[in-house]
Amino acid sequence: MNTIEACIFDLDGVIVDTAVYHYQAWKRLANELGFDFTEEDNEKLKGVSRVASLNLILGWGGLSKTETEKEELATRKNNWYVDMITKMTPAEVLPGAREFVESCKQAGIKTALGSASKNSATILDKVGISHLFDVVIDGNKVSKPKPDPEVFLKGAEDLGVKPQNCVVFEDAIAGIEAAVNGGMRSVGIGSPSTLAKADLVISGLDQINLEKLSVLGPISHVAG
Ligand code: B16
Ligand code: MG
């Protein structure tokens, strides 16, 4: 079995729950445009880029907009979202996330962030965990959305680790598919029925440690 040399973490839904802020900002935009936006709708946007999310929402509202109008709407939503995430605190790191990423680093496993968000630097800074990631690949650095593996392959490349030696942690179906498409093992965060293509599914990073991770493969440099 291939050794595990790097762990690549999605941000929203794995390290922090920014979906609640995306929800509030998209709902406000939809309401201003004259239709409603539910939490169920929001579920479908997890892991989906900002532009793709807007296109879906406009479709649900039965609206058609020009590219210039779409740019203005996406900016409006993002400004509200940024207002909320700049108020985030370290208490908002999801249970077990900080501890697990720290334990990876201590064991000599390299760590990367692999997120669709263009706001990942602000979020990591506000919750005080920027230093836990050797490499950050986000929506500013990639052009192809998950399930394309670009975000994770770039993370592996920048870490200097082969894809087959990486494990991806993801809460979105498209994210698990991106890991599979990139030739990486994956841990799904959520429900086993939804994330059936993941090699292992847990409810959150508080449910895993290095010993449990090692069911996916040997860890090369566990510190003594
Ligand atoms: P932004 P992830 C994703 O984060 C979110 O799940 C998704 O809802 C959001 O639309 C996307 O980031 C883009 O975010 O508007 O900040 O660029 O799960 O890939 O970490
Ligand atoms: Mg996610």
Side-chain angles (χ1 to χ4, degrees), residues 32 81 87 181-182 204:
E32 283 193 3
Y81 177 69
K87 296 188 189 89
N181 292 338

Side-chain angles (χ1 to χ4, degrees), residues 2-201:
N2 286 314
T3 55
I4 296 171
E5 295 172 21
C7 287
I8 307 180
F9 299 88
D10 174 48
L11 181 60
D12 176 29
V14 174
I15 303 288
V16 288
D17 182 14
T18 38
V20 292
Y21 303 124
H22 283 298
Y23 171 63
Q24 288 175 42
W26 284 129
K27 189 178 175 71
R28 184 168 170 186
L29 187 73
N31 290 169
E32 283 193 3
L33 292 171
F35 59 94
D36 201 16
F37 176 78
T38 65
E39 286 191 49
E40 207 184 333
D41 296 331
N42 197 54
E43 281 302 307
K44 299 181 192 126
L45 304 181
K46 287 189 174 173
V48 177
S49 75
R50 195 182 312 163
V51 177
S53 299
L54 177 65
N55 283 328
L56 283 171
I57 291 168
L58 291 174
W60 296 333
L63 295 181
S64 143
K65 298 281 176 189
T66 65
E67 287 309 310
T68 315
E69 286 168 334
K70 282 184 196 174
E71 229 168 85
E72 188 277 320
L73 292 171
T75 303
R76 211 193 299 173
K77 178 267 175 179
N78 192 56
N79 288 341
W80 294 325
Y81 177 69
V82 170
D83 273 351
M84 291 185 272
I85 60 168
T86 47
K87 296 188 189 89
M88 287 180 84
T89 70
E92 290 180 70
V93 176
L94 286 171
R98 184 192 308 269
E99 294 77 2
F100 181 67
V101 183
E102 272 169 358
S103 72
C104 288
K105 282 186 84 71
Q106 277 161 19
I109 297 174
K110 293 181 179 170
T111 58
L113 191 85
S115 165
S117 176
K118 293 187 173 176
N119 294 298
S120 69
T122 305
I123 297 165
L124 292 179
D125 177 49
K126 292 295 167 188
V127 303
I129 54 169
S130 307
H131 63 288
L132 290 182
F133 299 95
D134 299 318
V135 158
V136 173
I137 308 294
D138 67 9
N140 298 299
K141 292 191 179 159
V142 295
S143 53
K144 297 177 206 145
K146 302 165 189 174
D148 190 285
E150 184 186 17
V151 64
F152 298 138
L153 289 178
K154 200 162 187 341
E157 191 187 337
D158 285 10
L159 288 172
V161 175
K162 293 191 186 105
Q164 63 265 33
N165 297 115
C166 295
V167 177
V168 166
F169 293 76
E170 253 293 346
D171 70 315
I173 298 172
I176 297 293
E177 284 170 356
V180 174
N181 292 338
M184 298 179 181
R185 281 159 286 179
S186 63
V187 176
I189 309 291
S191 101
S193 54
T194 311
L195 303 173
K197 289 187 187 162
D199 297 296
L200 176 71
V201 180

